[in-house]
Amino acid sequence: MKHTVTVLPYNFIFTVQHGKNLLEALVENGFFIPAACGGYRHCGKCAVKCRAADACDYQTVLSCHTSVNADLTVLLDVPSEQGLWQVSPLSENTGEDVGMLLDIGTTTLAACLVDKQSGKTLAKASALNPQGAFGADVISRISAFGEGRGEDMRAAVVNATNRIIADFERTGVQIGDLMVVGNPTMLHLFIGVDPSGIGAYPFTPVFTDTRDFTGAEIGVNAARVRLLPSISAYLGSDVVAGVFACEMDKTDATQLFVDLGTNGEIVLSNNGKLFAASTAAGPALEGANLSCGMGGVAGAIDRVWREDGQLRFTTVQSAPARGICGSGLIDLIALLLDEGILDETGAFAEECISPLFHHLEDDCFYVTPEVYISQDDVRQFQLAKAAIAAGIEAIVAHCGVKMREITRVFLAGGLGYYMSPASATRTGLLSPTLLSRTQIVGNTALAGARLCLLDEANQAALDAIARRTDTVELSFSPIFSEAYIENMGFET
């Protein structure tokens, strides 16, 4: 028996078998429904409003634990995945040979359309990674693979990739080469390879080398697909490409590369050697697992400050505020520390002279009547920033250098592009010693992939970086453990 599901306000109709899980049905049909806990009824993020055909009123249900046993109408309060796409205007294509770059992040997909002859960016697109419906981090997705949902996850990200390609090709171009970067788990899931070895000691991925496919082999609508090389289980091709883009492989200087995301990747160059570590920051810095968190898409509060005694903020694309992303969260916590609304432990103050104190109600600080951060959200941020700060301290100590000896800091990733280094320093995410040496470099994963797309000779350099970089295992570092605890609090 089949049932009809109608999704409003999009008037999108599809049919499913009796008993089909509602969350899975929505994701399979292109609607991004966050499920940070992986569908175990812990986070409540997958809640939707629905009603049976014979009912008048909507009921709010957790889609992860709802079966489709009758014809349903589902009312989504947030835009579907389709509403999260950001495609820039297409500039003139000066050549016939067009390639595409794809960065598969745990939370976000980012893509560029590139003219291979001129090197110009023709278009850009980004969207939330639909695998978020299977869990917010790599461990939950590895678990989901073990539960038999690997093909669903692969299909979700491949379908999203093909959607981007279709959007690009509507402009009249055709994708030849597709260069793919991402962390090792995302790369494994993209081609349907079991990532379970990454999730348990001794953390062994099936592959870290460069992989080439035809698009037909993996279901992607491009002629040729290349997965760029990784370093180890938690240090992927996004890191390798970033190091190459920043030319850290060509210097003897002491430099630091920090890619902020669900996983925080850190690379230190010193005397011509490269050392790298990965720390599980969690998804808070990318807006996930927060009460009103979201990715850096339209309507996300991305900057917060006080002006004339009033709380001010901006949103992505100047759209009405729908939630808060990582850069906005960092700004807001820095502001609350300055205002005395948060104390050194991260707790909300019981009373305060700040003119912004009236925004605090029932242990939640409201930026708008609908968008707020809770006490638990602050704790999630503390866990994330402690992991990043401790990771930096541990790798610096491992290499026997001092913070003051670092001549340059590259702050990478989508969050890094929008984040205020001053706010990051105020919250303890970065050491104050590094502030004046910090350079925002944006998505270096795509920048490095672009260099490979434009010149095949650069591939050898990426392969060499992946081979020569030493991995520092933070799980075995007593310095990391001690620094993690020390960095949980705030300076007030």
Side-chain angles (χ1 to χ4, degrees):
M1 179 186 300
K2 291 187 175 182
H3 301 295
T4 298
V5 177
T6 302
V7 183
L8 300 178
Y10 308 100
N11 293 319
F12 185 87
I13 301 173
F14 60 88
T15 58
V16 297
Q17 291 289 342
H18 178 82
K20 177 73 173 182
N21 178 271
L22 179 58
L23 173 63
E24 293 178 3
L26 290 169
V27 171
E28 288 172 6
N29 283 276
F31 293 92
F32 178 82
I33 309 295
C37 67
Y40 290 99
R41 302 183 72 177
H42 297 154
C43 69
K45 292 278 190 177
C46 71
V48 299
K49 295 178 180 178
C50 67
R51 62 176 174 83
D54 58 354
C56 297
D57 298 325
Y58 287 97
Q59 292 185 326
T60 299
V61 301
L62 294 181
S63 59
C64 71
H65 273 249
T66 299
S67 299
V68 182
N69 297 322
D71 291 348
L72 290 179
T73 296
V74 178
L75 177 62
L76 296 182
D77 292 330
V78 299
S80 69
E81 181 195 44
Q82 293 93 316
L84 299 179
W85 297 86
Q86 302 169 10
V87 181
S88 67
L90 185 70
S91 56
E92 182 180 357
N93 178 16
T94 58
E96 296 180 357
D97 195 2
V98 176
M100 176 173 149
L101 316 172
L102 177 66
D103 178 9
I104 306 177
T106 309
T107 304
T108 307
L109 306 179
C112 283
L113 185 68
V114 178
D115 183 329
K116 292 177 65 176
Q117 293 189 24
S118 68
K120 292 182 179 179
T121 295
L122 303 176
K124 297 179 182 179
S126 65
L128 297 179
N129 187 335
Q131 290 178 348
F134 301 89
D137 53 43
V138 295
I139 297 301
S140 60
R141 296 191 201 166
I142 291 171
S143 297
F145 191 100
E147 295 166 0
R149 294 188 283 176
E151 178 55 29
D152 292 337
M153 287 190 289
R154 189 200 69 81
V157 73
V158 167
N159 289 341
T161 300
N162 286 334
R163 282 283 309 281
I164 294 176
I165 291 173
D167 281 345
F168 284 165
E169 291 188 340
R170 285 195 194 102
T171 62
V173 302
Q174 189 168 2
I175 307 298
D177 293 316
L178 171 61
M179 294 284 180
V180 182
V181 291
N183 68 58
T185 299
M186 295 302 103
L187 297 181
H188 280 56
L189 294 176
F190 184 64
I191 60 173
V193 172
D194 185 357
S196 60
I198 297 173
Y201 186 80
F203 312 117
T204 306
V206 173
F207 67 93
T208 56
D209 58 326
T210 299
R211 292 290 173 103
D212 288 304
F213 304 90
T214 64
E217 286 180 290
I218 56 176
V220 173
N221 297 331
R224 298 166 297 277
V225 180
R226 172 170 289 178
L227 276 59
L228 295 178
S230 299
I231 297 169
S232 57
Y234 289 97
L235 293 159
S237 55
D238 48 353
V239 178
V240 175
V243 168
F244 182 63
C246 295
E247 299 185 339
M248 293 179 67
D249 59 317
K250 301 174 183 177
T251 182
D252 289 331
T254 302
Q255 299 180 341
L256 186 69
F257 173 91
V258 182
D259 192 339
L260 295 172
T262 304
N263 300 303
E265 291 95 6
I266 305 162
V267 181
L268 186 73
S269 65
N270 184 47
N271 292 327
K273 297 181 179 180
L274 294 169
F275 302 87
S278 176
T279 180
L285 294 179
E286 294 198 289
N289 275 7
L290 302 178
S291 302
C292 299
M294 60 188 296
V297 296
I301 294 172
D302 59 352
R303 183 168 172 250
V304 183
W305 71 99
R306 172 186 161 183
E307 184 177 315
D308 298 329
Q310 300 295 315
L311 187 65
R312 309 291 186 190
F313 63 87
T314 60
T315 64
V316 175
Q317 298 184 7
S318 300
R322 296 195 293 112
I324 189 164
C325 65
S327 60
L329 175 68
I330 294 170
D331 269 357
L332 181 55
I333 290 181
L335 177 63
L336 297 181
L337 290 168
D338 286 341
E339 296 292 316
I341 297 173
L342 281 178
D343 66 19
E344 68 276 3
T345 70
F348 285 121
E350 294 184 2
E351 58 181 47
C352 177
I353 62 172
S354 168
L356 303 182
F357 186 68
H358 69 279
H359 287 268
L360 184 64
E361 183 177 346
D362 297 328
D363 271 347
C364 293
F365 187 90
Y366 286 81
V367 183
T368 75
E370 292 79 29
V371 180
Y372 62 89
I373 64 166
S374 67
Q375 184 67 76
D376 184 62
D377 295 337
V378 176
R379 299 303 184 205
Q380 291 295 321
F381 173 78
Q382 288 178 269
L383 293 171
K385 72 104 174 180
I388 297 293
I392 293 173
E393 289 187 30
I395 197 169
V396 167
H398 175 86
C399 296
V401 300
K402 305 294 184 184
M403 287 287 185
R404 64 177 180 272
E405 296 173 340
I406 298 173
T407 60
R408 201 171 186 186
V409 180
F410 299 105
L411 203 57
L415 170 60
Y417 185 77
Y418 294 103
M419 186 185 75
S420 161
S423 293
T425 299
R426 179 65 183 90
T427 60
L429 185 63
L430 291 178
S431 167
T433 305
L434 302 177
L435 179 58
S436 63
R437 306 164 199 176
T438 298
Q439 177 183 353
I440 303 295
V441 289
N443 192 322
T444 53
L446 290 182
R450 175 195 297 272
L451 295 172
C452 284
L453 178 70
L454 298 179
D455 187 351
E456 177 70 23
N458 288 326
Q459 180 65 50
L462 264 76
D463 291 334
I465 290 171
R467 290 193 304 267
R468 63 177 274 209
T469 302
D470 291 334
T471 300
V472 179
E473 294 291 352
L474 298 181
S475 56
F476 301 135
S477 169
I479 294 175
F480 175 79
S481 300
E482 294 174 8
Y484 182 78
I485 295 172
E486 292 175 358
N487 281 284
M488 282 290 293
F490 297 109
E491 294 289 337
T492 56

